[in-house]
Amino acid sequence: MKLKIKALLVLIIVATIFQSGCTSIDEESFNADIEGYADPIAENALQAINEQNYTKFSADLDLTMKKAFTEEIFLKSAYIIQDELGNYTSKELLEINAAERHTVVIYRANFEKETDDVILRLIFVNSDGQVQLRGFWLESSQLRKRMALER
């Protein structure tokens, strides 16, 4: 009798462990290799700004971002970025913040004309098993000054 109870207890524990490891496989794979998907998407977006190529830039955008960040807005933004910062040259990963529904990846980006830090923030979402870019921000003192003048 004690052997049956022990066997049942072991079976329940094993089943619980197995289920907890398999409940969110999509979420696990989304968070497993963040740098592996973030780096090429970030690089693609930054190179697209250098080239002023909206098709290339928008390739990894989710539908919400595509609607908000149209080709017209992209071209105006790319012009301002190149005018103030020059072309993008390199980036360095600073931070990764993985949450349940999205992941924030932060880089320090280098540009030809800018000597101060340029911070690149990206927000990634897992949309039906596909990693997509939902947010893209460049922060620099030069861009802040320019945007203040543009208003």
Side-chain angles (χ1 to χ4, degrees):
M1 185 73 166
K2 287 184 179 182
L3 186 60
K4 287 183 180 181
I5 293 174
K6 285 182 181 179
L8 183 58
L9 186 58
V10 168
L11 184 60
I12 291 171
I13 291 170
V14 169
T16 303
I17 292 170
F18 180 73
Q19 282 184 329
S20 68
C22 296
T23 54
S24 57
I25 191 72
D26 289 340
E27 193 174 305
E28 286 177 20
S29 61
F30 177 63
N31 290 325
D33 186 22
I34 296 168
E35 196 171 351
Y37 65 73
D39 274 348
I41 292 174
E43 188 68 25
N44 181 67
L46 291 163
Q47 290 296 335
I49 291 170
N50 283 355
E51 299 165 13
Q52 296 189 4
N53 183 335
Y54 180 73
T55 302
K56 184 175 182 177
F57 180 82
S58 64
D60 297 304
L61 302 182
D62 78 337
L63 188 56
T64 303
M65 183 78 170
K66 280 183 184 178
K67 286 180 181 178
F69 207 71
T70 63
E71 185 170 9
E72 180 182 348
I73 293 170
F74 167 79
L75 291 173
K76 285 179 184 177
S77 300
Y79 173 77
I80 291 170
I81 291 166
Q82 288 186 322
D83 191 43
E84 292 299 323
L85 307 179
N87 280 326
Y88 155 76
T89 57
S90 64
K91 67 185 180 318
E92 174 190 354
L93 179 65
L94 295 179
E95 189 176 333
I96 296 173
N97 296 307
E100 186 176 326
R101 297 180 188 260
H102 66 275
T103 300
V104 179
V105 180
I106 302 170
Y107 292 94
R108 178 183 0 256
N110 298 305
F111 289 79
E112 294 171 333
K113 295 180 185 178
E114 179 63 83
T115 56
D116 292 337
D117 285 348
V118 176
I119 301 300
L120 169 63
R121 279 185 213 292
L122 303 170
I123 296 181
F124 294 95
V125 294
N126 182 354
S127 180
D128 297 325
Q130 184 178 3
V131 175
Q132 294 184 316
L133 188 57
R134 169 135 329 145
F136 180 94
W137 294 271
L138 284 172
E139 300 172 17
S140 83
S141 56
Q142 286 299 111
L143 288 177
R144 275 192 293 277
K145 288 176 192 173
R146 175 69 179 263
M147 297 313 281
L149 291 174
E150 295 286 323
R151 290 183 194 146

